[in-house]
Structures are given as structure tokens and as C-alpha cells.
């Protein structure tokens, strides 16, 4: 691919991602080469590499393909403008125990771009889109949202720290940035420092190496609000934890607000010192629950509005958002990526966004998020529910207290998996397919006459499909 092709693609990207995103994330990319179908771009920081690959890789690829390049994949290579230690080196410098606690999310935030020239805090850049305004509230995140709002209002510190936890892509970082935006807006004089735990470690290691621990301590003890994202990262990294603990205590003593996020509750972070765990539990601990259908639909509707404004004239069929909310239940990031790709694709090919187009365009994502329930899982859940032994589920006993749960499990296996009756029979201790068929029919009958069975089946189905 020639650089002028990339130039043209960039022009189209400007239209599809908007001016702000373009200036922040697309403009700084330099096309290095296209090799074996892989388009390699160099980016100045690993934060950027992550951000772009998470949020824009799909769109970039769609446009590259549309421009008839041979690219079938994109990669981002970190090439610092100034010499800067790479993330790997930092990890190597850190104390023992790093390998086993590699973070599940990609590495983030090794950049020291101050948002504002006068603000010299070495935090990570804030995403301008991560505001309270853009955060859709639903049952699963209601409490976390309310707590975040409260902290963002300033006022006397009532709980310290605020500890937000939850799975990947449920909005922890979004809420933290929203707090930071809000505080900066309400009280510009406040020193708000937001960084990832990884960045905290990086700065700590750097300070040790450069013998600038005094500056380091002073910096972290002089902020009004400290926000540390993905704190599970420092688990197992002893001296970083130690320093974090002291920083934490110093700030709490001064009644400065601390906001922490992690992928799990404090008590469940392995490799985290007990005294830190208990400190973290002292404030308010709230979790972001996995999204439910309504929240996903709400998020999709909000985002779709934005895209509709960006792509005027694009037709959008009924039921597409409902379909996506139903089918993509993993995390919000995947949901957003899917929607972005859908709009980019539809506008390129100039077609209406229909269910067919959605299935065509998002086949891989839909496939990946297909929830595959196994017969074994069903057997386990059902035996737990009826408090019988798993071995009895598959065994020969025929008493009703065992046979009925077994039939429920067979019924669910028939309806929730793609297994045939003989295959199901085999998994139930080598039973015949007619036995399975009988069991399935029996539950079908009972469902209409016995409301207890109907409730059980419904509840189990929901638990298995969640
Ligand atoms: P986490 O830090 O928990 O892994 P993020 O905060 O990075 O997740 O969220 C992933 C993406 O999903 C972001 O683009 C974010 O804006 C979006 N997102 C998550 N929850 C919501 C929500 N309730 N409303 C709007 N967008 C959301
Ligand atoms: Mg995050």
C-alpha cells in the first residue's frame, strides 16, 4: 500500500470517527508497512497503541479493506518519540512475582502527557468521551454510578477510598474518568491525579532508579484526589505495594479522596497484602454487575444516536439493536465495537442496516459471544439446585427425587445445547435416546401442570444462559 492510499483512507476515517477522535488517535499513526496482509502502524506510546487497537482497529481495517489494500489485520507498534523504557523493561525491574500476575487486560498508560499545560501531574490522559453524561445507568451499575457521582460532587470525604470493582468492560475506567472530569470542572484548583496501577509502578520504579524517591513521595502526597485504576496489577509486586500503602495512608490521613478500581473485590485479589486489603475495605466498596439486557439496549440506543448523527441518511431497520443487546452479552466494549463496525460497514457499502447485514458484518463477534452451554454444566447446575449428587444424576438410581432432576437436566440439554438425543443419552451414563426423549416430554407436560417445575426450569434456564 502506498502512503497516498493511507492518506485517502485517513480522510475517510476523519469522517467516520469524527474530528476529535481523528486528531487524538488517527492522525498520530504512521503507516510502516503492509506485510503478509498485516498493516503495521507505529504509535508513540503504548497507551495509544492500546487505545487505538481497542477502539479503532476495526474501523481502520474496514476502511483499508474498502480501499482494496491487501490488509487483513492491523498491528500497532510502539515507537516512542523520545527514548523511553518499554513496558517489558519496567516489569523486569520490578520485584519478584510479576510473571504470574500478568494483567488480563492489555497494558495501559505509560505516557506522561499532561492534559493541560499548567497541570503538571503525571497522570494518564483522560478520555473526553468518558463523562457522566455519556454513562448509561441501569440496575447493574446504579450503585457504582451513585457513589461515583457523590465523590465527584466534592464536599467532605465521607468514604475513603471509593473502591469500584467489576469485570472487564463494565465501565470502571469510564466512571473514574467521569469523576476526574467532573471534579476538574467544579473545582479547577483541585489537583486530581488519575493513573493506572501499572503507571504507578512505572513511576515508582523510575523514581527508585533515578534516586528521586523524595520527589515521588512529595508528588503523590500533594494531590487532592488520587485515582488508581486496575489496582489488581500491583498484586505480588511487593515494593510497589509497600509504597502504595504508604501513599494511601498519607492521603487518608489528610482527608484526601482516593478512588480505586480493580477487577475483583479487595479480599479476592491474590498476592495483595492483608493490611492493604483491609485498608481498601475501609471505605465504600461497590461492584459493577454484569450488564443486563435493558442496560445493553440503553447503551446501544445512546451510541446509535451518536452514529446516526455522524452518518446521516443511513437507514436503520427495527430490531437490530434489540438483536445485538440480546446476542452480545459479554462486555460493553465489545458491544460498542460491534456497533461502530456496523455503521462503518453500512456506510461504506451504502446499504441499510438490517438484521441480515448485521449478521454478515458481525459474524465473528456474534460467534465468539455465543454462549455455549454444555451438558456437563447443565448437570452440575441442576444437581446443585435440587441438592443431589452429580454422580446420581448420571447413575442408575430411579427414585423420583433423582429421576425428576435428571429429566429436568435432559430437557435443558435438549433445549440449550445443539446435542442430539443419543449424544445427550451418552452423557447421562449411557442411556438410550428414547429415555432422553421420554424425559424431555415428561418435563414438557409437567411444565403446564406443575408450576414449581415450570419455575425451576425457567430459573435454571436463565442461570445457565446468563
Ligand atoms: P472497564 O474499565 O471496566 O474495563 P471501561 O470503563 O473501559 O471498562 O468501559 C468499556 C467501554 O464501555 C468504554 O468505551 C465505556 O465508555 C463503555 N461503557 C461501559 N459502561 C457504560 C455505560 N454504562 N454507559 C455507556 N458506556 C459504557
Ligand atoms: Mg478499565
Amino acid at each position: 500500500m502506498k502512503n497516498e492510499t493511507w492518506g485517502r483512507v485517513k480522510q475517510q476515517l476523519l469522517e467516520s470517527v469524527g474530528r476529535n477522535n481523528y486528531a487524538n488517535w488517527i492522525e498520530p499513526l504512521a503507516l510502516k508497512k503492509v506485510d503478509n496482509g498485516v498493516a503495521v502502524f507505529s504509535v508513540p506510546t503504548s497507551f495509544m497503541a492500546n487505545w487505538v487497537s481497542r477502539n479503532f482497529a476495526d474501523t481502520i481495517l474496514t476502511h483499508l479493506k474498502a480501499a482494496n489494500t491487501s490488509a487483513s489485520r492491523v498491528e500497532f507498534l510502539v515507537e516512542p518519540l523520545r527514548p523511553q523504557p518499554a513496558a517489558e523493561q519496567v516489569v523486569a525491574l520490578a520485584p519478584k512475582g510479576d510473571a504470574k500476575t500478568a494483567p488480563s487486560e492489555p497494558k495501559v498508560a505509560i505516557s506522561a502527557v499532561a492534559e493541560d499545560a499548567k497541570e503538571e501531574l503525571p497522570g494518564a490522559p483522560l478520555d473526553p468521551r468518558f463523562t457522566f453524561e455519556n454513562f448509561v445507568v441501569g440496575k447493574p451499575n446504579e450503585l457504582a454510578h451513585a457513589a461515583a457521582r457523590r465523590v465527584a460532587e466534592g464536599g467532605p470525604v465521607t468514604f475513603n477510598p471509593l473502591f469500584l470493582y467489576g469485570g472487564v468492560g463494565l465501565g470502571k475506567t469510564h466512571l473514574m474518568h467521569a469523576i476526574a472530569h467532573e471534579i476538574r470542572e467544579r473545582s479547577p484548583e483541585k489537583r486530581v491525579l488519575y493513573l493506572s496501577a501499572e503507571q504507578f509502578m512505572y513511576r515508582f520504579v523510575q523514581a527508585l532508579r533515578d534516586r528521586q524517591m523524595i520527589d515521588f513521595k512529595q508528588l503523590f502526597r500533594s494531590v487532592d484526589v488520587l485515582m488508581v485504576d486496575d489496582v489488581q496489577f500491583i498484586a505480588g509486586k511487593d515494593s510497589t505495594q509497600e509504597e502504595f500503602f504508604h501513599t494511601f495512608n498519607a492521603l487518608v490521613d489528610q482527608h484526601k479522596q482516593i478512588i480505586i478500581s480493580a477487577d475483583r473485590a479487595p479480599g479476592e485479589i491474590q498476592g495483595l497484602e492483608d493490611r492493604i486489603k483491609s485498608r481498601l475495605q475501609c471505605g465504600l466498596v461497590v461492584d459493577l454487575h454484569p450488564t443486563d439486557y435493558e442496560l445493553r439496549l440503553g447503551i446501544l440506543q445512546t451510541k446509535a444516536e451518536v452514529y446516526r448523527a455522524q452518518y446521516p441518511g443511513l437507514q436503520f431497520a427495527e430490531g437490530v439493536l434489540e438483536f445485538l443487546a440480546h446476542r452480545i452479552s459479554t462486555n460493553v466494549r465489545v458491544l460498542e465495537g460491534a456497533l461502530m463496525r456496523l455503521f462503518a460497514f453500512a456506510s461504506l457499502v451504502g446499504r441499510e442496516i438490517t438484521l441480515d447485514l448485521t449478521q454478515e458484518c458481525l459474524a465473528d463477534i456474534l460467534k465468539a459471544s455465543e454462549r455455549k452451554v454444555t451438558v456437563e454444566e447443565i448437570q452440575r447446575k441442576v444437581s446443585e439446585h435440587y441438592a443431589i449428587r452429580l454422580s446420581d444424576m448420571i447413575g442408575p438410581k430411579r427414585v423420583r427425587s433423582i429421576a425428576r432432576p435428571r429429566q429436568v437436566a435432559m430437557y435443558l440439554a435438549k433445549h440449550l445445547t445443539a446435542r442430539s438425543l443419543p449424544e445427550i443419552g451418552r452423557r447421562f451414563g449411557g442411556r438410550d435416546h428414547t429415555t432422553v426423549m421420554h424425559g424431555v416430554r415428561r418435563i414438557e407436560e409437567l411444565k403446564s401442570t406443575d408450576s414449581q417445575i415450570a419455575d425451576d426450569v425457567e430459573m435454571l434456564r436463565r442461570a445457565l444462559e446468563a
Side-chain angles (χ1 to χ4, degrees):
M1 173 177 32
K2 296 204 196 77
N3 257 318
E4 44 188 277
T5 314
W6 172 231
R8 252 183 297 129
V9 170
K10 270 166 93 173
Q11 217 42 47
Q12 292 162 354
L13 282 165
L14 169 60
E15 276 166 36
S16 88
V17 303
R19 188 165 299 282
N20 262 344
N21 279 329
Y22 179 83
N24 282 333
W25 310 111
I26 308 292
E27 182 60 29
L29 301 178
L31 177 68
K32 280 184 74 85
K33 58 178 179 189
V34 183
D35 209 4
N36 271 331
V38 184
V40 182
F41 294 91
S42 79
V43 292
T45 65
S46 66
F47 178 77
M48 237 191 102
N50 265 303
W51 192 265
V52 175
S53 81
R54 263 203 227 156
N55 295 283
F56 300 106
D58 277 349
T59 317
I60 294 173
L61 189 60
T62 311
H63 284 274
L64 286 175
K65 282 182 178 163
N68 283 326
T69 64
S70 60
S72 59
R73 205 149 60 82
V74 285
E75 268 180 25
F76 303 93
L77 192 68
V78 182
E79 291 188 321
L81 299 174
R82 290 173 267 125
Q84 214 181 14
E88 288 69 23
Q89 285 170 318
V90 175
V91 172
L93 278 171
K96 66 180 161 55
D98 291 308
K100 64 175 189 293
T101 53
S104 50
E105 270 194 87
K107 295 187 176 302
V108 282
I110 304 201
S111 99
V113 189
E115 247 229 318
D116 177 344
K118 70 177 190 308
E119 185 67 80
E120 296 217 335
L121 293 178
L126 296 178
D127 189 306
R129 295 170 306 174
F130 287 2
T131 58
F132 281 121
E133 210 178 27
N134 292 339
F135 191 81
V136 181
V137 185
K139 264 240 148 342
N141 58 25
E142 191 170 36
L143 191 59
H145 171 260
R149 279 268 191 201
R150 168 61 61 82
V151 166
E153 279 166 13
V157 175
T158 43
F159 33 77
N160 217 3
L162 168 60
F163 189 98
L164 298 169
Y165 76 93
V168 176
L170 297 182
K172 301 180 296 292
T173 298
H174 187 135
L175 276 180
M176 291 183 99
H177 286 209
I179 297 172
H181 284 306
E182 182 87 10
I183 297 180
R184 284 184 181 174
E185 187 139 311
R186 282 170 182 256
S187 338
E189 76 289 351
K190 278 201 176 154
R191 292 163 60 79
V192 181
L193 180 55
Y194 164 87
L195 37 48
S196 66
E198 184 186 8
Q199 202 183 14
F200 179 86
M201 182 186 87
Y202 172 73
R203 305 215 63 96
F204 170 62
V205 172
Q206 205 176 34
L208 278 180
R209 188 191 55 202
D210 301 345
R211 300 180 193 287
Q212 292 184 329
M213 272 314 289
I214 296 182
D215 291 347
F216 176 90
K217 284 180 191 290
Q218 199 172 355
L219 171 80
F220 278 92
R221 283 156 179 68
S222 71
V223 300
D224 295 302
V225 181
L226 175 66
M227 313 175 98
V228 182
D229 207 349
D230 289 318
V231 80
Q232 75 276 356
F233 182 83
I234 62 166
K237 303 183 173 79
D238 297 345
S239 42
T240 303
Q241 279 191 48
E242 173 91 22
E243 187 55 36
F244 175 76
F245 182 70
H246 294 311
T247 306
F248 187 99
N249 289 339
L251 288 172
V252 170
D253 286 347
Q254 299 174 60
H255 306 289
K256 305 293 191 193
Q257 182 72 55
I258 299 176
I259 303 147
I260 306 281
S261 87
D263 63 355
R264 64 201 71 180
E268 285 162 23
I269 305 178
Q270 278 182 16
L272 199 63
E273 281 179 47
D274 286 340
R275 56 180 185 164
I276 299 188
K277 285 184 188 169
S278 67
R279 268 299 198 169
L280 291 174
Q281 281 156 343
C282 277
L284 181 65
V285 178
V286 274
D287 60 335
L288 289 133
H289 297 274
T291 58
D292 58 13
Y293 173 79
E294 288 78 11
L295 177 60
R296 291 195 294 272
L297 188 59
I299 292 172
L300 284 168
Q301 283 166 340
T302 315
K303 310 261 167 189
E305 277 312 305
V306 177
Y307 284 122
R308 265 188 255 207
Q310 267 177 30
Y311 299 92
L314 207 60
Q315 296 292 313
F316 205 87
E318 290 270 321
V320 170
L321 296 182
E322 287 77 4
F323 172 77
L324 290 178
H326 181 67
R327 288 288 300 275
I328 303 179
S329 54
T330 42
N331 72 48
V332 183
R333 193 172 294 135
V334 176
L335 208 59
E336 284 183 341
L339 199 62
M340 180 190 274
R341 195 202 296 179
L342 194 56
F343 272 93
F345 183 74
S347 83
L348 276 173
V349 297
R351 277 163 60 189
E352 179 184 359
I353 300 183
T354 58
L355 275 176
D356 282 347
L357 181 100
T358 305
Q359 277 173 333
E360 183 187 328
C361 166
L362 301 177
D364 56 336
I365 298 182
L366 292 170
K367 192 152 180 16
S369 52
E370 230 166 62
R371 179 81 176 81
K372 291 185 201 70
V373 183
T374 63
V375 177
E376 288 69 25
E377 227 174 312
I378 294 173
Q379 292 172 332
R380 203 166 344 105
K381 263 265 163 12
V382 175
S383 26
E384 267 167 34
H385 179 77
Y386 290 104
I388 65 169
R389 280 206 212 98
L390 189 56
S391 54
D392 282 341
M393 171 76 64
I394 337 181
K397 287 190 191 159
R398 300 176 68 163
V399 288
R400 161 120 13 125
S401 61
I402 306 255
R404 192 67 86 224
R406 187 185 294 134
Q407 289 174 333
V408 168
M410 287 174 174
Y411 171 89
L412 288 167
K414 174 77 185 68
H415 286 88
L416 302 183
T417 74
R419 300 263 170 233
S420 65
L421 294 178
E423 283 174 319
I424 296 174
R426 238 172 285 140
R427 287 174 169 72
F428 280 85
R431 286 178 160 79
D432 192 69
H433 77 277
T434 52
T435 311
V436 181
M437 191 156 58
H438 171 75
V440 173
R441 293 226 176 106
R442 188 82 192 103
I443 298 301
E444 265 156 16
E445 287 159 18
L446 284 172
K447 266 179 48 178
S448 50
T449 55
D450 183 336
S451 66
Q452 181 61 51
I453 289 274
D455 286 352
D456 284 355
V457 168
E458 203 35 49
M459 205 209 77
L460 284 162
R461 178 208 291 278
R462 252 184 273 135
L464 285 159
E465 280 182 336

